[in-house]
Amino acid sequence: MTARFSAMGGIVARVPPERQRAFRARLCARRAEEGHTVAVRREELRRRLEALYLQYDHRFVTPDPLEFVRAQPSDADREVVGLLASGLAFGTVVQIKRGIAAVLAALGPRPAEAVAALDPRETASRLRGFRHRWTSGRDVACLLYFARQMRESHGSVEAFFAEGLSPGDRDVGPALASFSARALALDHGGLYRGRRLPGDAGVRCFFPSPAKGSACKRLNLYLRWMARRDGVDLGVWRRPDPSQLVLPLDAHTIAIARRVRLTRYRSPGWAMALDVTRRLRALDPADPVKYDFAFHRMGLFGRKDEIRSLVG
């Protein structure tokens, strides 16, 4: 027999070795059963999500800002329009599409060429009457001028972004923080007061940072469109790898993720985005955000039965 001692140093019980072995065996069996249950649920969830992923294909893109990106004739145009469309992807779908269409009308049929020759003040003048929620034409003109500088200095927005990627990065968090910081250090072309970009400049809303806790929903959406090479997404970029992407959190994906118990967080910040992505990575390590479009469509279209099918 072995003795078990209390914290005060006294013997409180003697447990025979055979009872200890039996207890350990029961504990191991229970843990194995719990692990099996989790594995079964994970496999079932994967099966159901895969079916929904295949169901929500290009036929369901409308209505979505992605429509404007998919309609572009070249990868250069898709990269530029993707940055614009994702940046304006807040508010109602009607508002979003109206805002994107207005800017594209000012740019003309070849957006990348227009951005390459863009004069920031002239563009701000052409967009003087533009308003999308709290974003003004000046803010959009500055965003486009930043895109011009990124493409001039690095050849593409992708190359500018990839400068912040490091080998072995688990996710795009560090690269996003670097991207936003370097973008906001670019020349604003005299669109705002002072030499440096003011703290209240509206263009800042296009470049949030995970370093400050932001979920970076619109930038993650942009990365999904550009880097994923399957389904509705375009695969324009070769960096980052799809395995590094982080789920773009919006009201629909948050509601579904919480209902399906894909996150323990309640506040929609970077921690929640990483938490949901980590659990989706267990379902598909190579492409964890592949289910994002199906999540959004189910929420947008009110597909309650499909959402309930993921809970069981």
Side-chain angles (χ1 to χ4, degrees), residues 245-247 272-282 288-289:
L245 300 180
V246 173
L247 193 78
M272 176 186 277
L274 283 183
D275 192 39
V276 179
T277 303
R278 175 179 61 83
R279 294 168 196 259
L280 292 177
R281 191 175 284 119
V289 307

Side-chain angles (χ1 to χ4, degrees), residues 31-289:
R31 287 176 176 171
E33 183 178 353
E34 290 172 351
H36 176 71
T37 300
V38 170
V40 168
R41 182 182 181 277
R42 181 185 300 150
E43 193 56 41
E44 181 63 17
L45 180 60
R46 187 206 317 271
R47 185 186 67 79
R48 295 176 186 180
L49 281 175
E50 285 293 331
L52 290 166
Y53 169 69
L54 294 174
Q55 174 185 329
Y56 285 102
D57 57 17
H58 64 279
R59 297 169 298 172
F60 293 88
V61 169
T62 302
D64 197 275
L66 182 56
E67 294 174 61
F68 295 93
V69 190
R70 290 173 60 90
Q72 298 308 309
S74 72
D75 284 351
D77 291 320
R78 292 178 191 120
E79 179 182 71
V80 168
V81 174
L83 184 64
L84 168 70
S86 61
L88 294 177
F90 59 98
T92 68
V93 176
V94 172
Q95 290 175 320
I96 293 168
K97 293 182 66 174
R98 185 189 301 128
I100 298 168
V103 179
L104 291 183
L107 289 177
R110 300 304 297 264
E113 291 181 7
V115 164
L118 182 138
D119 178 273
R121 294 189 179 185
E122 180 187 349
T123 304
S125 179
R126 274 187 282 152
L127 293 172
R128 182 174 292 130
F130 177 90
R131 197 80 191 175
H132 177 68
R133 303 288 292 272
W134 55 81
T135 303
S136 69
R138 176 177 64 168
D139 303 329
V140 172
C142 192
L143 170 68
L144 297 173
Y145 188 49
F146 283 176
R148 172 186 164 178
Q149 294 173 75
M150 292 175 192
R151 291 175 58 79
E152 284 179 343
S153 63
H154 289 71
S156 65
V157 179
E158 175 187 13
F160 184 89
F161 175 84
E163 185 177 294
L165 278 171
S166 298
D169 280 349
R170 174 83 169 159
D171 58 65
V172 293
L176 273 177
S178 171
F179 176 71
S180 289
R182 287 181 292 114
L184 294 173
L186 295 171
D187 177 24
H188 61 72
L191 291 173
Y192 302 97
R193 69 182 184 276
R195 187 171 180 180
R196 291 187 177 182
L197 189 70
D200 60 352
V203 72
R204 290 184 178 276
C205 79
F206 295 115
F207 298 98
S209 175
K212 298 180 180 180
S214 173
C216 299
K217 174 252 182 177
R218 289 169 292 146
L219 286 179
N220 279 323
L221 185 63
Y222 180 50
L223 295 181
R224 197 204 86 197
W225 292 348
M226 295 295 105
R228 283 203 68 257
R229 298 159 199 142
D230 189 25
V232 301
D233 299 313
L234 298 163
V236 173
W237 290 5
R238 289 296 174 263
R239 298 182 68 190
D241 189 84
S243 65
Q244 296 174 294
L245 300 180
V246 173
L247 193 78
L249 292 181
D250 67 8
H252 300 300
T253 57
I254 290 170
I256 294 173
R258 291 182 62 186
R259 185 164 184 184
V260 184
R261 299 191 297 278
L262 291 173
T263 183
R264 58 191 174 88
Y265 290 91
R266 302 186 66 85
S267 299
W270 186 248
M272 176 186 277
L274 283 183
D275 192 39
V276 179
T277 303
R278 175 179 61 83
R279 294 168 196 259
L280 292 177
R281 191 175 284 119
L283 305 180
D284 191 334
D287 196 4
V289 307

